[in-house]
Amino acid sequence: MPPRTKRRTSIADVARLAEVSVGTVSNVLNRPDRVSPTTRERVEAAITELSFVRNGSARQLRAGTITTAGAIVLDVANPFFTDVARGIEDRLEEAGYTLMLASSDEDPDREARYLKLFEEHGVQGVMVVPSGPDIDHLRTLHDRGLRVVLLDRPSTDPALSSVAVDDRAGAAAAARHLIDLGHEHLAFLNGPHTIRQCADRSAGIHDALVEAGLDPATCLEEITITALNADGGQAGTERVLAMERRPTATLCVNDLTALGALRTLRAAEVPVPSGMAVVGYDDVTFAGELATPLTSVRQPMHALGYRAADLLLADDESAEQVVFQPELVVRESTTGTG
Amino acid sequence: MPPRTKRRTSIADVARLAEVSVGTVSNVLNRPDRVSPTTRERVEAAITELSFVRNGSARQLRAGTITTAGAIVLDVANPFFTDVARGIEDRLEEAGYTLMLASSDEDPDREARYLKLFEEHGVQGVMVVPSGPDIDHLRTLHDRGLRVVLLDRPSTDPALSSVAVDDRAGAAAAARHLIDLGHEHLAFLNGPHTIRQCADRSAGIHDALVEAGLDPATCLEEITITALNADGGQAGTERVLAMERRPTATLCVNDLTALGALRTLRAAEVPVPSGMAVVGYDDVTFAGELATPLTSVRQPMHALGYRAADLLLADDESAEQVVFQPELVVRESTTGTG
DNA sequence: TGGAGGCGTTGAAACGATTCATCGCGCGTC
DNA sequence: GACGCGCGATGAATCGTTTCAACGCCTCCA
């Protein structure tokens, strides 16, 4: 790409045309009340005439700070993160701030590159879904004076703020719902416990079982799937259906997995929910639009982002750990007549 | 939010600590080969010691230009646009550029605000899904030296580049597919023709019918729905089912509409596709995962974004109008045995 | 031994907006 | 008529980096 050749018109050009000093032009732009109406009009005319646009870099260099925040999520194409981003954007918008958004692809190097870029550009703070378990680099950033808010992950460092969703409670609510419906033998299609969300959701299901006086050892079949999508759901469900003592309900680690489960059950002509109840997680947009509308755990994604931005904009310097409670959305895949 | 109090360490602080001049520090940062190894090491040590971070504003002010581009889409929470954004990001990444992403919510004021912000920050160019039919403001931007690329909309101004998808051809392909399967009486659940995409898709269906020697006046029932979502699809399908001479296939303006159509057909116990074939548009992620996998028209969203960024980065100044061809993805909702 | 040439470093100018101490002018007051 | 006051306008200093002409030093060669 060729460099931008045309020199941008500067405040000096405007001043020359309006026959005033640069200071006056600056005053027209920033404190119009301190300028007499006649000069102001002349300056404004010159601005439109030259179609002058302020140079943000110079402005910011002098001011030392800007009304911009950065956010790094794992993947901008994932509906979960876009809803979060939307919440962030809405809160920043209220405060007159703007957002620089980037995705790290779970690559710590990419994350580091974007963090550096953001810092160089003088953002007020950053909201980050960390790519790895290590958050020392974020602490360093905080020590250098940036506001740092962790997204979708409780902070292990008390100096850093965070917003997260209580996965354990969400999974417990889902399991409790099934137990209330009379199910006493559950399957759980889950990812590896190295992923924090997976471990937490597993723990939540255990909680609900124990609370109901059921023994997880005999009442829960946790099946580890590698792909947390429809194919993983299909593979897991096939294993569930092959069991000698077949569970009566299947919990899925997310809605895509549940989609695969429903597909497999249909193929095997197992009615839902009478032959097998199914619960998803995330409550993605299409969960309610499926052939069998899916009971799912809704995460307050928008609120998550909104609150994160709120913490970033907070007046005091203290860190805060916010945990949201998810909400069970009951649909026909557990309570229907099929 | 309190202003960042700590003054950032500057290149001068580093120079002082390393006992060299500022010019040398700058050289270490930008052309390390021109600095002797011993001084370089001393400077690098000072940089780490002070955890110095370059001030992007000053850098950019001096350089006059930066490796950043802006993009404005209608809604970052819409999967179509996030896939496009992803394509943009991938192409920019290759060139070492970064992206500032924002959504306009179809609000021309919001769009204008972000454009101003981007320009003030000296982006090389912007990629925009225009909020309204008017693109004069984008032409103005172009005249001021920014690269402008229109997204998902052919440019009416030959000076501006654009990338779009051929909606007419996509709809024609879908209709042709149905005609090839022997359908001679089609329903089309469409939005108002004031939306360019809707008008184009309608035209495409007409093309296919005429081409096959069928008369659109008798062979096509175009039903205008107000909500382009599942509810709209349901309402439209109910009207189709109530027709005296019932069409044998339904084309839907997008996949969500098709979802509503499928739901309604299931409730009315009309088998798909033997009682009614259904085609969607967009090929969203879950289209293939439905109870009846949906035949749909896939838009090359990633490629759309990738190419847009490509045009933005192009070496020459000439504008280019790129039109992508969509691809029909055939699934069981038209060719199944149900 | 004097000069040429090259390498590494220096220091100041420049980018463009903001800020603030200062100045000029007109008007009212004594 | 002299003085003070206040409103507006001024312009130089400033932010932190990059760039570049100039300079000092060393080496090599005649």
Side-chain angles (χ1 to χ4, degrees), chain A residues 36-56:
Chain A
S36 75
T38 53
T39 16
R40 194 193 319 156
E41 271 168 36
R42 226 170 51 241
V43 172
E44 278 165 355
I47 288 178
T48 10
E49 161 98 25
L50 297 171
S51 68
F52 162 75
V53 176
R54 276 223 273 285
N55 182 323

Side-chain angles (χ1 to χ4, degrees), chain B residues 115-137:
Chain B
L115 284 174
K116 186 173 176 203
L117 182 92
F118 286 167
E119 189 180 8
E120 285 189 1
H121 276 73
V123 299
Q124 286 282 4
V126 288
M127 288 155 279
V128 188
V129 184
S131 300
D134 186 21
I135 56 166
D136 289 353
H137 59 300

Side-chain angles (χ1 to χ4, degrees), chain A residues 221-245:
Chain A
E221 315 287 349
E222 179 162 341
I223 293 173
T224 302
I225 58 180
T226 45
L228 304 185
N229 54 24
D231 289 339
Q234 173 159 354
T237 304
E238 279 163 5
R239 286 176 55 191
V240 172
L241 291 179
M243 286 180 176
E244 212 159 297
R245 199 170 61 92

Side-chain angles (χ1 to χ4, degrees), chain B residues 293-308:
Chain B
L294 183 66
T295 294
S296 191
V297 179
R298 175 179 300 164
Q299 311 218 53
M301 306 177 270
H302 187 276
L304 199 74
Y306 192 92
R307 192 76 173 87

Side-chain angles (χ1 to χ4, degrees), chain A residues 1-2 4 6 8 51 53-58 60-61 75-77 82-83 86 89 93 97-103 105 110 113-114 117 119-124 143-147 230 259 263 266 286 288-291 312-315 317, chain B residues 1-2 4 6 8 51 53-58 60-61 75-77 82-83 86 89 93 97-103 105 110 113-114 117 119-124 143-147 230 259 263 266 286 288-291 312-315 317:
Chain A
M1 178 145 136
R4 298 245 316 259
K6 292 171 196 159
R8 288 167 65 166
S51 68
V53 176
R54 276 223 273 285
N55 182 323
S57 309
Q60 179 185 340
L61 171 59
D75 181 8
V76 284
T82 50
D83 282 356
R86 199 47 203 268
E89 211 181 22
E93 164 98 11
Y97 274 58
T98 40
L99 177 66
M100 293 183 68
L101 181 63
S103 46
D105 284 348
R110 247 179 96 109
R113 243 196 353 271
Y114 275 113
L117 183 90
E119 188 179 10
E120 287 189 0
H121 277 74
V123 300
Q124 286 281 3
D143 292 342
R144 243 180 276 139
L146 266 80
R147 319 278 300 215
L259 209 54
R263 196 172 58 186
R266 169 172 311 278
F286 59 86
E289 308 291 353
L290 296 173
L312 190 117
L313 297 168
D315 271 330
E317 296 281 345
Chain B
M1 174 147 143
R4 299 245 315 260
K6 293 171 196 160
R8 289 166 66 168
S51 68
V53 176
R54 277 224 271 291
N55 182 322
S57 310
Q60 180 183 340
L61 171 60
D75 180 7
V76 284
T82 51
D83 282 355
R86 199 46 204 269
E89 211 181 20
E93 163 98 12
Y97 274 59
T98 41
L99 178 66
M100 293 183 69
L101 182 63
S103 47
D105 285 348
R110 246 177 99 107
R113 246 198 349 273
Y114 275 113
L117 182 92
E119 189 180 8
E120 285 189 1
H121 276 73
V123 299
Q124 286 282 4
D143 291 343
R144 245 182 272 136
L146 267 80
R147 316 281 296 218
L259 210 56
R263 198 171 59 188
R266 171 172 311 278
F286 59 84
E289 308 292 352
L290 296 171
L312 191 116
L313 297 168
D315 270 328
E317 295 282 345

Side-chain angles (χ1 to χ4, degrees), chain A residues 137-149:
Chain A
H137 60 299
L138 295 174
R139 175 56 191 268
T140 311
L141 226 51
H142 168 267
D143 292 342
R144 243 180 276 139
L146 266 80
R147 319 278 300 215
V148 175
V149 180

